[in-house]
């Protein structure tokens, strides 16, 4: 028979231990072990934030970050079963490896509950909480990381935070800001400061978001069909020479497409000239070979993305060449690669300008957007940054800064999950251990699921 008095006492002692750790963390910062398994990247990180002068500003340190990506090159794209098996094979080993990178205790050495003893005999700090991606993503893949994170939470008797994957992407520049901050001389706020606008672009997402706080996000535009990353990958499979496809180290063919189209990097980007007006956006660029690509929604101000027509046009163009027995020269392939990227990125930039114009009319001067965050796998594309910066400069938004994480933090990674977990934890949010993985999960509270805080399982401490 269950002894209710004993159970209640145990529960109170557990809460007391958590409160004690929270009190200690005010002085030595927050430490989390984070897990990301939403798609085909298995990633584990140990992230720490130290506060400065009792403000939200602080310094961050990534003690450990490692990714293992499922090898699905044989299928020329993400294979759900292979990705799941890769998570099952690699996650436990990554967690085991990460434990040896936990920092050694420097304060509160007498608090035995705050220590972990590994096989090497050295005591290390127990994480203050565990973070893991809850969604959106492939549910079975998410469950591997989510269940592992919950198990660690139980084993260590620390809280758990189930993180929104897209929220983590848009908060990543704030992690970078804290990583770069000089702990001894700077007390500036974590940047970008709210409100800011984000373009979240990857193989699975194309979203334009206005963020007023860590949990208040307004979706201003999203893709009506496929994501920009998927469009670039599909175009790359048609455009790239066979040897480049065969020798690619991953299925991120969009990255190979950029290297193929712009082998000289910034020297090649210097040739780009943005359309000065909306009218110029509608002008077709006919190539020396007689083909042209059409920009989606060129004749409207509709705040929505669409990228499927671009990939389809490239596929039809290449297929027609093959059917008529015409060979595509290297020069033509390079031109088609550049044009397919230009159309995709100008479409992104055009909708961003329309959104900024709408916000300028609606918001007061104190709320004016000053920062554009670009995050997600496609944010590593330097030509995209060239197009966005050029559009902002010629359309009256030269004062808006573009902030993007370094390439290793653009793609899916556990460091961003850990940082988002820290921001939510600092705001007082925890996740109940009964939570389940979410295949779909919007950011916007106006959506049917209620946005970041909509799903059940959140607890406010």
């Amino acid at each position: 028979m269950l002894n209710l008095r004993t159970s209640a006492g145990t529960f109170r002692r557990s809460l007391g231990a958590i409160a004690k750790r929270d009190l200690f963390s005010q002085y030595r910062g927050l430490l989390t072990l984070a897990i990301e398994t939403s798609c085909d990247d298995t990633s584990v990180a140990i992230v720490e934030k130290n506060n400065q002068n009792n403000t939200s500003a602080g310094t961050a340190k990534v003690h450990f970050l490692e990714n293992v990506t499922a090898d699905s090159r044989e299928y020329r794209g993400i294979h759900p079963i292979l990705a799941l098996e890769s998570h099952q094979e690699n996650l436990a080993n990554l967690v085991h490896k990460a434990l040896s990178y936990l920092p050694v205790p420097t304060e509160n050495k007498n608090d035995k509950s705050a220590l972990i003893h590994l096989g090497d005999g050295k005591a290390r700090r127990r994480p203050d909480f565990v973070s893991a991606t809850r969604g959106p993503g492939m549910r079975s893949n998410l469950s591997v990381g989510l269940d592992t994170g919950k198990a660690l939470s139980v084993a260590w008797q620390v809280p758990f935070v189930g993180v929104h994957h897209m929220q983590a992407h848009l908060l990543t520049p704030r992690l970078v800001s804290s990583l770069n901050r000089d702990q001894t001389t700077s007390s500036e706020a974590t940047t970008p400061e709210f409100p800011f606008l984000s373009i979240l672009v990857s193989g699975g997402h194309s979203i334009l978001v206005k963020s007023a706080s860590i949990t208040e996000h307004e979706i201003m535009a999203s893709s009506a069909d496929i994501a920009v990353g998927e469009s670039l990958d599909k175009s790359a499979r048609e455009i790239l020479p066979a040897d480049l496809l065969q020798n690619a180290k991953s299925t991120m063919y969009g990255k190979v497409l950029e290297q193929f189209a712009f082998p000289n990097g910034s020297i090649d980007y210097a040739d780009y000239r943005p359309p000065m007006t909306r009218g110029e956006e509608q002008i077709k660029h006919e190539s020396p070979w007689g083909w042209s690509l059409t920009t989606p929604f060129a004749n409207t101000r509709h705040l929505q993305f669409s990228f499927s027509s671009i990939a389809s046009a490239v596929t039809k163009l290449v297929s027609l060449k093959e059917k008529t027995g015409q060979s595509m020269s290297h020069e033509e392939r390079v031109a088609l690669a550049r044009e397919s990227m230009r159309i995709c990125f100008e479409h992104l930039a055009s909708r961003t300008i329309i959104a900024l114009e709408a916000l300028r009319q609606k918001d007061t001067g104190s709320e004016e957007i000053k920062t554009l965050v670009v995050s997600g796998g496609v944010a590593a594309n330097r030509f995209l940054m060239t197009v966005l910066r050029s559009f902002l400069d010629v359309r009256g938004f030269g004062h808006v800064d573009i902030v993007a994480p370094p390439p290793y933090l653009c793609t899916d990674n556990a460091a961003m999950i850990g940082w988002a977990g820290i921001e939510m934890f600092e705001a007082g949010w925890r996740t109940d251990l009964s939570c389940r993985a979410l295949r779909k999960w919007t950011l916007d509270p106006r959506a049917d699921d209620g946005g970041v805080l909509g799903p059940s399982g959140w607890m406010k401490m």
Side-chain angles (χ1 to χ4, degrees):
M1 181 179 293
L2 178 65
N3 187 323
L4 294 179
R5 180 176 297 177
T6 301
S7 298
T10 301
F11 181 66
R12 284 195 297 271
R13 287 193 296 275
S14 177
L15 287 179
I18 291 173
K20 188 177 182 182
R21 280 193 292 274
D22 285 352
L23 178 64
F24 286 151
S25 68
Q26 293 177 19
Y27 299 98
R28 58 164 171 73
L30 285 171
L31 182 70
T32 185
L33 184 143
I35 296 171
E36 154 63 16
T37 59
S38 64
C39 191
D40 63 339
D41 287 297
T42 310
S43 184
V44 174
I46 294 173
V47 184
E48 182 178 13
K49 179 189 177 186
N50 291 294
N51 291 329
Q52 289 184 327
N53 303 323
N54 296 320
T55 67
S56 61
T59 60
K61 183 174 183 180
V62 178
H63 295 279
F64 176 85
L65 173 60
E66 193 165 314
N67 293 21
V68 176
T69 304
D71 187 356
S72 54
R73 287 175 292 176
E74 178 184 353
Y75 300 93
R76 293 194 173 187
I78 295 170
H79 193 284
I81 296 177
L82 280 181
L84 175 61
E85 292 173 346
S86 180
H87 294 316
Q88 294 169 333
E89 292 170 3
N90 293 296
L91 181 55
N93 286 327
L94 283 181
V95 170
H96 183 262
K97 184 176 181 180
L99 294 183
S100 63
Y101 289 82
L102 286 168
V104 296
T106 56
E107 297 178 24
N108 311 310
K109 294 181 180 179
N110 294 325
D111 179 26
K112 302 301 182 183
S113 67
L115 302 179
I116 291 178
H117 295 275
L118 302 181
D120 59 8
K122 295 180 180 178
R124 289 176 174 81
R125 277 179 52 193
R126 186 187 305 273
D128 295 295
F129 66 98
V130 177
S131 310
T133 308
R134 186 182 180 187
M138 301 177 183
R139 185 175 290 141
S140 57
N141 297 13
L142 286 164
S143 295
V144 176
L146 194 69
D147 291 344
T148 300
K150 291 193 288 186
L152 290 171
S153 170
V154 172
W156 291 335
Q157 287 294 283
V158 297
F160 176 74
V161 177
V163 174
H164 192 299
H165 181 84
M166 301 311 295
Q167 178 198 34
H169 270 304
L170 66 85
L171 292 176
T172 302
R174 291 167 62 85
L175 165 62
V176 176
S177 171
S178 293
L179 287 171
N180 294 337
R181 182 174 293 112
D182 183 345
Q183 186 174 4
T184 59
T185 61
S186 175
S187 60
E188 296 177 3
T190 302
T191 55
E193 296 184 66
F194 298 105
F196 59 83
L197 199 65
S198 297
I199 302 176
L200 305 180
V201 280
S202 66
H205 302 277
S206 298
I207 312 173
L208 186 64
V209 188
K210 180 193 174 185
S211 299
S213 72
I214 60 171
T215 58
E216 298 175 65
H217 308 284
E218 178 185 354
I219 304 296
M220 301 200 68
S222 60
S223 178
D225 37 62
I226 66 175
V228 61
E230 184 178 350
S231 178
L232 292 173
D233 286 343
K234 287 183 174 181
S235 297
R237 287 195 289 266
E238 300 294 335
I239 297 169
L240 293 174
D243 60 324
L244 282 183
L245 282 174
Q246 292 170 359
N247 295 324
K249 295 181 180 180
S250 73
T251 57
M252 296 175 64
Y253 299 120
K255 180 179 180 180
V256 184
L257 187 69
E258 181 190 12
Q259 295 167 345
F260 177 73
F262 302 102
N264 299 311
S266 58
I267 298 175
D268 293 330
Y269 304 149
D271 295 333
Y272 175 73
R273 295 292 180 271
M276 302 296 290
T277 63
R278 287 275 301 134
E280 288 188 23
E281 289 180 33
Q282 301 170 29
I283 300 174
K284 287 190 175 182
H285 294 211
E286 186 164 319
S287 74
W289 298 273
W291 48 258
S292 63
L293 301 179
T294 302
T295 303
F297 302 147
N299 299 318
T300 75
R301 293 180 61 85
H302 188 40
L303 269 176
Q304 191 174 45
F305 299 125
S306 175
F307 298 99
S308 62
S309 62
I310 302 170
S312 297
V314 170
T315 300
K316 289 178 182 178
L317 195 159
V318 175
S319 177
L320 182 61
K321 287 267 185 180
E322 292 174 349
K323 285 181 180 180
T324 56
Q326 301 177 58
S327 60
M328 187 174 285
S329 66
H330 177 84
E331 183 181 11
E332 185 177 3
R333 288 181 185 275
V334 168
L336 184 56
R338 292 186 178 187
E339 187 66 0
S340 62
M341 279 191 284
R342 183 189 70 81
I343 293 293
C344 283
F345 298 158
E346 286 193 355
H347 180 41
L348 282 169
S350 174
R351 303 302 108 170
T352 302
I353 294 297
I354 293 171
L356 285 169
E357 290 172 345
L359 290 172
R360 175 180 278 175
Q361 293 177 1
K362 183 173 66 173
D363 294 342
T364 63
S366 61
E367 296 178 327
E368 186 176 6
I369 298 296
K370 299 177 181 178
T371 306
L372 175 64
V373 167
V374 188
S375 194
V378 183
N381 190 302
R382 306 320 299 170
F383 183 49
L384 169 60
M385 297 302 165
T386 299
V387 172
L388 288 173
R389 182 72 269 165
S390 299
F391 260 70
L392 291 172
D393 288 344
V394 302
R395 300 293 184 87
F397 293 96
H399 64 284
V400 175
D401 292 328
I402 297 179
V403 178
Y408 80 99
L409 291 176
C410 285
T411 53
D412 294 349
N413 66 89
M416 71 177 191
I417 301 302
W419 179 260
I422 286 173
E423 293 226 36
M424 291 295 286
F425 193 85
E426 285 185 323
W429 294 104
R430 318 289 190 267
T431 307
D432 188 82
L433 295 177
S434 64
C435 72
R436 293 183 295 175
L438 300 170
R439 186 175 67 85
K440 293 183 178 181
W441 188 7
T442 66
L443 283 165
D444 199 324
R446 299 171 302 174
D448 292 339
D449 65 3
V452 173
L453 297 177
S456 62
W458 286 114
M459 300 181 295
K460 182 74 170 179
M461 304 295 286

